[in-house]
Amino acid sequence: MAKSTFFIPNENLMGAGCLADAVQVIRSKGFKRALIVTDKPLNNLGVVGKVADLLAGAGVAVTVYDGTKPNPTITNVEEGLALLRRDNCDCVVSLGGGSPHDCAKGIALCAANGGSIADYEGLDKSAKPQLPLVAINTTAGTASEMTRFCIITDEARHVKMAIVDRHTTPILSVNDPELMAGMPKGLTAATGMDALTHAVEAYVSIAATPITDACALKAVELIAAYLRRAVHDGQDMEAREQMAYAQFLAGMAFNNASLGYVHAMAHQLGGFYDLPHGVCNAVLLPHVQDYNAQVAASRLGHIGKALGADTAGLAPEAAAKAAIAAIRKLSADVGIPANLTTLGAKAEDIPTLAANAMKDACGLTNPRRATQAEIEAIFQAAM
Ligand SMILES: [Fe+2]
């Protein structure tokens, strides 16, 4: 087995009410002014005001950037960076789901290293740690609050840039399920299926280790047990809390074992049509694992068992099929559309999407190497 490194934030707060503890940690580090990076919906809901008040009460002044788009752009990073510099902020607090965390990482990385976020596309391109980032999560999830992955859309090229950099790891992650109870059903379903995709792709990744395997399988078990409940009743706090743990475990898995073609392909759909990340993943996940089954059948069988499928006595190929069927069933049960056509993808765009997916760093750890024609065929099958 190759050598491995395990990245995770130094401090990670979990559980109902931990937001208040997070503010005390921020205060204890002596920060004077935080740039809160968030989005308009959370600001309109009053969540941003609540966090700003808590910080102010702890003696930390606040500047708010709430312009983050669902697929955050280079422009978003530059706008936030301008505010950070104008007000001399000495730390960044991201508040939201994956989008504000990714945008905040872009801002904090450029604040410390200079240049444009596009300079850091790829693996470990920066020289210095980013400005300290505290990531307060409101979805479950992208796990961006605890990973070194930062996905920023280059709106001129219509592509998503993957910045995978040890220096983008937040110093503190915060998963308070009370902040997740207000998530609408569609967002709960999409972010939950994103977490499932993280666990599955990390488990079949060529960079998987016993540590990431343990995290991935536990994540799958929790998602199988609690995602339907969280979608059905957003106020089911046990389901919200367990989904917060699940997405965090899936994050621990993929932050270190990386991902595969589902994400490499979903990034292109997101960048091209501005579609929700989790929904793109959910639609592609069974199709890519169908393709992977030729080389990863036994691992997919373990996923099937963790999803609750009866795989006892089945040959690996049959167990893999059971896993894929269980993924499709979960996806349908939480209301994910059945195909990419429903999402507005067009057959004539597939060659471009596939060509860009071949260049996405997330595909490098997929267990089976694909040609562009094979990626096109997977897109076609998902139409
Ligand atoms: Fe993802």
Side-chain angles (χ1 to χ4, degrees):
M1 185 181 279
K3 292 188 286 185
S4 72
T5 309
F6 195 80
F7 295 101
I8 186 173
N10 273 340
E11 199 167 353
N12 304 279
L13 304 181
M14 313 285 303
C18 75
L19 174 62
D21 304 331
V23 172
Q24 291 314 312
V25 175
I26 295 169
R27 185 234 270 301
S28 74
K29 295 192 182 295
F31 297 126
K32 298 282 181 283
R33 179 176 281 275
L35 177 73
I36 296 183
V37 178
T38 185
D39 56 32
K40 291 258 166 19
L42 281 172
N43 206 354
N44 293 339
L45 283 169
V47 182
V48 178
K50 182 181 167 191
V51 172
D53 288 348
L54 285 169
L55 285 169
V60 182
V62 162
T63 296
V64 175
Y65 174 64
D66 70 355
T68 312
K69 292 188 176 160
N71 288 306
T73 62
I74 293 178
T75 303
N76 287 156
V77 171
E78 288 173 353
E79 287 171 351
L81 191 57
L83 285 179
L84 177 142
R85 288 183 172 141
R86 186 195 72 188
D87 290 356
N88 287 317
C89 300
D90 54 5
C91 71
V92 179
V93 173
S94 56
L95 177 64
S99 316
H101 303 316
D102 282 10
C103 186
K105 288 172 182 175
I107 294 166
L109 195 67
C110 291
N113 286 275
S116 155
I117 190 60
D119 301 340
Y120 305 104
E121 184 176 8
L123 180 66
D124 286 335
K125 293 283 168 58
S126 73
K128 287 188 275 187
Q130 66 186 2
L131 210 63
L133 169 63
V134 171
I136 302 170
N137 204 18
T138 62
T139 69
T142 67
S144 181
E145 83 285 359
M146 52 79 66
T147 69
R148 63 197 162 109
F149 285 67
C150 166
I151 308 294
I152 301 292
T153 298
D154 180 340
E155 56 268 66
R157 289 188 291 150
H158 294 289
V159 295
K160 284 195 168 191
M161 301 182 294
I163 296 120
V164 184
D165 195 312
R166 63 182 64 212
H167 290 147
T168 65
T169 305
I171 59 165
L172 174 70
S173 79
V174 184
N175 276 284
D176 184 338
E178 286 177 358
L179 293 173
M180 300 167 184
M183 250 194 294
K185 282 184 195 299
L187 188 61
T188 303
T191 52
M193 290 303 291
D194 184 27
L196 178 67
T197 307
H198 295 154
V200 173
E201 292 213 279
Y203 194 71
V204 301
S205 157
I206 57 170
T209 70
I211 306 174
T212 60
D213 287 350
C215 296
L217 286 180
K218 187 66 190 176
V220 173
E221 284 178 23
L222 291 175
I223 292 164
Y226 292 102
L227 179 57
R228 288 179 181 87
R229 276 176 56 178
V231 171
H232 176 71
D233 175 10
Q235 298 300 318
D236 180 338
M237 290 313 291
E238 185 191 8
R240 290 292 194 195
E241 181 184 69
Q242 294 300 310
M243 279 305 301
Y245 277 103
Q247 67 91 30
F248 190 92
L249 283 160
M252 288 170 77
F254 92 84
N255 196 33
N256 298 289
S258 195
L259 295 161
Y261 287 145
V262 182
H263 272 75
M265 295 167 69
H267 286 158
Q268 313 320 319
L269 294 167
F272 213 77
Y273 306 113
D274 202 21
L275 291 168
H277 173 67
V279 175
C280 296
N281 277 333
V283 174
L284 290 167
L285 181 59
H287 296 282
V288 172
Q289 299 323 314
D290 214 23
Y291 172 80
N292 285 342
Q294 197 184 89
V295 300
S298 109
R299 290 213 144 225
L300 286 168
H302 304 163
I303 296 284
K305 186 165 176 242
L307 280 167
D310 184 5
T311 56
L314 292 184
E317 293 70 24
K321 278 202 166 40
I324 292 163
I327 291 169
R328 286 185 189 280
K329 172 89 170 54
L330 177 57
S331 195
D333 287 352
V334 298
I336 299 287
N339 56 53
L340 298 178
T341 307
T342 313
L343 298 178
K346 298 198 171 51
E348 63 260 35
D349 296 332
I350 288 178
T352 309
L353 295 168
N356 288 334
M358 295 288 287
K359 294 182 217 149
D360 190 294
C362 291
L364 295 173
T365 42
N366 195 78
R368 188 176 168 196
R369 291 254 60 76
T371 61
Q372 178 165 332
E374 287 174 324
I375 297 284
E376 288 180 18
I378 300 170
F379 270 126
Q380 196 61 54
M383 293 295 283

